[in-house]
Amino acid sequence: MKRERISTILKEPQLGEKITVKGWVRAFRSNRFIQLNDGSTIKNLQAVVDFENFDENLLKKITTGAAISVTGKLVESLGKGQDVELQVESIEIIGEANPEEVQKTVMQPKKHSLEFLREQAHLRFRTNTFGAVFRIRHAVSYAIHKYFNDNGFYYIHTPIITGSDCEGAGEMFHVTNFDLNNIPKNEDGSINYKEDFFGKEVSLTVSGQLEAELAALALGQVYTFGPTFRAENSNTSRHLAEFWMIEPEVAFNDLNDNMNLTEDFLKYVINYVLENCKDDLDFLNERDKKEQASKPQNKRSDMTLIERLEFVVNNDFERLPYTEAIDILMQSKPYKKKKFQYEVKWGVDLQSEHERYLVEKHFKKPVILTDYPKEIKAFYMRQNDDGKTVAAMDVLFPGIGEIVGGSQREERLDVLKEKSAAFGIAEKDLWWYLDTRRFGSVPHAGFGLGLERLVMFVTGMTNIRDVIPFPRTPQNAEF
């Protein structure tokens, strides 16, 4: 018989129908009740076995983690915890799981630490928490593509291997096919990259933005969605060496248009998750409540996970200049009572504690900060008329702080050349980028969103390593 997915069965139960289900055993109680899960939903299907009708040796193989196929009649359940259940008529063992070995893994039916789960990333998909996280990650990714497609954007695949670090976004991973035990050198002892595969020094990209700009200045509005890499030796809960970025670019948009796009986009994606991932969100919401209850009172969130998502969807984002935000922070009680860990003054980048104060305490809504000091932002951001600030923007969310960074790009060739020089970027390394300002240059704007940062927000997970299937961090490239 054709295999039915458990999510479909539970959503549209056909009582009295004979069906076949395949999945993994989560539990087998009293040699009678099998909790079966096939990954399509966080919910299990209860399969009821009349053990007198089955061989004892077969039943012994139905252990936690085993893969089985069951066929039977779907009926209304008389027990608690489920609406329907499967009266089993036949069982096939597809893949056995040794109970003694299972006890050493994350499949053992008990609470495990997230650190232990990371050590077994190849198996953590089978837990309720990570099943929920990665189903939601898929939903977020789908919603991102759907939003841009429905709004007339073109999906651009920008290079993973790049010959420039013009973004200035941090240390990069070098790419080479040299024999590392016999690297060709120039007479002065430097590496002779002319003999390398690409004939020049190249690295893994930290952003697809600059290339996306080239496409936007012909196709009008585009977006990238791909892997990016940072070779920073950071082991914090918010950093990965490999992560995914979404970067739209729109010709003829100014900073205000960019803010409108960002707000509409974020609300759409989060609302999609609220509407389409209810079971997984309900589970993660309960998990988040327990996590918050275990924290000290001063570090707990005032909102549950679902309330934080609704907080973003149901509120207009507050918009204000960086300078005004600094004034608010310097007038705040935490600043006056010296409760901020990091300093607050004009010219420094805000820390998460400052951003969360603005969102959660002062405005009580998501915030977009604009017009940052030019010294703390990238060279490609459009310089404002005051000569001190640039047309940048950061979007701040509750519980997480900055989630999106963007700007109106500098479209004036003379200003862009001056800024490039000030940042120590040679024109010969950026000739192709400068060319777009020579031929029909127009105002344009865009932003960057780290997928993992957004998935952290919508799932309530607090470590970025827990929202990507196989995290890449310093000294860790397992699996």
Side-chain angles (χ1 to χ4, degrees):
M1 292 183 63
K2 177 185 175 183
R3 176 176 73 92
E4 301 291 340
R5 301 179 79 219
I6 291 176
S7 58
T8 304
I9 293 168
L10 297 180
K11 188 176 182 180
E12 303 169 354
Q14 302 295 317
L15 295 178
E17 292 291 318
K18 187 174 182 179
I19 60 174
T20 294
V21 180
K22 298 179 181 181
W24 295 271
V25 176
R26 288 290 177 84
F28 186 24
R29 296 183 290 107
S30 308
N31 267 15
R32 182 168 174 79
F33 302 104
I34 302 172
Q35 296 298 319
L36 196 63
N37 191 282
D38 66 0
S40 63
T41 171
I42 197 167
K43 294 182 176 179
N44 300 324
L45 176 65
Q46 178 164 284
V48 183
V49 178
D50 186 346
F51 59 87
E52 294 181 353
N53 296 334
F54 293 91
D55 181 73
E56 183 179 349
N57 290 326
L58 175 70
L59 296 182
K60 286 181 179 179
K61 295 180 181 179
I62 304 175
T63 59
T64 299
I68 65 173
S69 173
V70 293
T71 299
K73 184 183 293 185
L74 193 66
V75 299
E76 185 176 349
S77 178
L78 300 178
K80 295 180 179 179
Q82 62 279 323
D83 296 325
V84 296
E85 60 189 22
L86 191 66
Q87 289 183 339
V88 178
E89 297 175 6
S90 66
I91 303 173
E92 176 190 353
I93 307 297
I94 299 174
E96 297 182 34
N98 186 308
E100 293 182 4
E101 294 296 321
V102 166
Q103 291 298 311
K104 303 173 185 177
T105 73
V106 298
M107 292 186 292
Q108 183 184 7
K110 71 170 190 178
K111 183 177 177 61
H112 300 285
S113 70
L114 293 175
E115 290 79 6
F116 181 58
L117 289 162
R118 282 179 217 128
E119 293 173 4
Q120 298 188 10
H122 60 304
L123 297 176
R124 68 177 179 170
F125 295 101
R126 304 195 191 192
T127 65
N128 282 333
T129 297
F130 285 93
V133 166
F134 291 120
R135 278 188 293 269
I136 288 177
R137 182 182 169 111
H138 160 78
V140 169
S141 300
Y142 173 78
I144 289 168
H145 283 298
K146 180 171 172 55
Y147 176 87
F148 287 125
N149 180 74
D150 292 353
N151 284 278
F153 283 71
Y154 298 106
Y155 180 28
I156 299 297
H157 299 95
T158 53
I160 292 174
I161 298 174
T162 179
S164 66
D165 179 25
C166 295
E167 297 89 339
E171 294 295 321
M172 303 176 77
F173 289 102
H174 297 287
V175 177
T176 181
N177 74 334
F178 279 153
D179 175 354
L180 299 185
N181 294 312
N182 187 27
I183 298 176
K185 300 289 184 66
N186 296 310
E187 289 184 3
D188 62 0
S190 61
I191 296 174
N192 183 3
Y193 284 106
K194 290 183 179 180
E195 292 190 23
D196 205 353
F197 186 89
F198 292 103
K200 61 185 293 188
E201 185 176 1
V202 296
S203 305
L204 295 179
T205 186
V206 296
S207 169
Q209 177 207 311
L210 300 189
E211 292 87 354
E213 284 188 56
L214 312 185
L217 293 173
L219 300 176
Q221 48 188 41
V222 303
Y223 74 104
T224 76
F225 191 162
T228 52
F229 308 85
R230 303 278 167 88
E232 296 169 357
N233 188 19
S234 176
N235 274 296
T236 76
S237 62
R238 298 176 64 169
H239 288 89
L240 289 167
E242 175 186 273
F243 56 99
W244 289 71
M245 284 279 285
I246 300 96
E247 297 172 294
E249 289 290 331
V250 185
F252 307 106
N253 267 14
D254 60 16
L255 185 63
N256 192 60
D257 297 322
N258 205 32
M259 289 190 285
N260 292 339
L261 172 66
T262 309
E263 180 172 347
D264 189 59
F265 164 74
L266 289 169
K267 286 182 174 181
Y268 175 91
V269 174
I270 292 170
N271 197 55
Y272 182 90
V273 173
L274 283 167
E275 291 179 352
N276 293 277
C277 303
K278 188 176 185 308
D279 291 339
D280 287 323
L281 272 184
D282 286 344
F283 171 83
L284 292 171
N285 193 59
E286 291 304 311
R287 180 188 178 280
D288 185 69
K289 287 179 183 177
K290 293 175 184 176
E291 291 289 317
Q292 294 298 333
S294 67
K295 294 180 180 179
Q297 186 70 38
N298 63 337
K299 292 191 175 181
R300 294 178 189 174
S301 172
D302 295 332
M303 295 177 280
T304 67
L305 170 60
I306 291 177
E307 286 171 345
R308 293 196 295 273
L309 302 186
E310 292 173 340
F311 174 89
V312 170
V313 170
N314 296 333
N315 280 293
D316 292 335
F317 293 11
E318 186 72 25
R319 304 177 182 188
L320 73 157
Y322 163 93
T323 300
E324 192 174 322
I326 292 293
D327 290 340
I328 291 171
L329 290 168
M330 295 184 74
Q331 295 300 318
S332 70
K333 288 182 179 179
Y335 177 80
K336 292 179 178 178
K337 293 183 177 181
K338 302 185 184 303
K339 289 190 175 182
F340 284 138
Q341 180 180 352
Y342 297 95
E343 69 173 341
V344 178
K345 67 177 183 179
W346 200 93
V348 301
D349 217 349
L350 298 184
Q351 300 295 321
S352 180
E353 60 178 347
H354 309 137
E355 296 166 342
R356 291 185 60 184
Y357 173 81
L358 293 170
V359 173
E360 299 168 30
K361 303 298 183 183
H362 188 82
F363 290 109
K364 293 182 169 37
K365 60 173 67 174
V367 172
I368 306 180
L369 294 185
T370 65
D371 304 311
Y372 281 77
K374 65 180 182 180
E375 287 80 11
I376 62 174
K377 290 297 182 181
F379 81 96
Y380 51 73
M381 296 187 179
R382 192 181 201 278
Q383 185 165 295
N384 290 327
D385 293 341
D386 61 14
K388 298 189 301 181
T389 62
V390 289
M393 64 165 213
D394 285 345
V395 181
L396 316 180
F397 271 14
I400 198 168
E402 181 194 341
I403 195 165
V404 165
S407 72
Q408 183 174 338
R409 315 311 191 187
E410 183 56 75
E411 85 280 10
R412 298 164 296 186
L413 178 61
D414 56 340
V415 179
L416 185 58
K417 289 172 70 173
E418 290 175 6
K419 294 190 70 179
S420 300
F423 275 77
I425 301 171
E427 287 190 29
K428 66 181 179 59
D429 295 329
L430 208 63
W431 66 269
W432 46 272
Y433 188 69
L434 295 173
D435 256 8
T436 60
R437 274 61 173 178
R438 292 188 172 95
F439 309 118
S441 184
V442 300
H444 58 287
F447 63 82
L449 166 67
L451 175 65
E452 286 74 24
R453 188 68 63 86
L454 180 57
V455 176
M456 282 177 70
F457 179 73
V458 298
T459 61
M461 303 301 285
T462 55
N463 193 312
I464 200 166
R465 303 177 193 199
D466 297 326
V467 295
I468 191 168
F470 305 105
R472 297 293 181 246
T473 54
Q475 303 298 309
N476 178 32
E478 198 65 75
F479 312 107

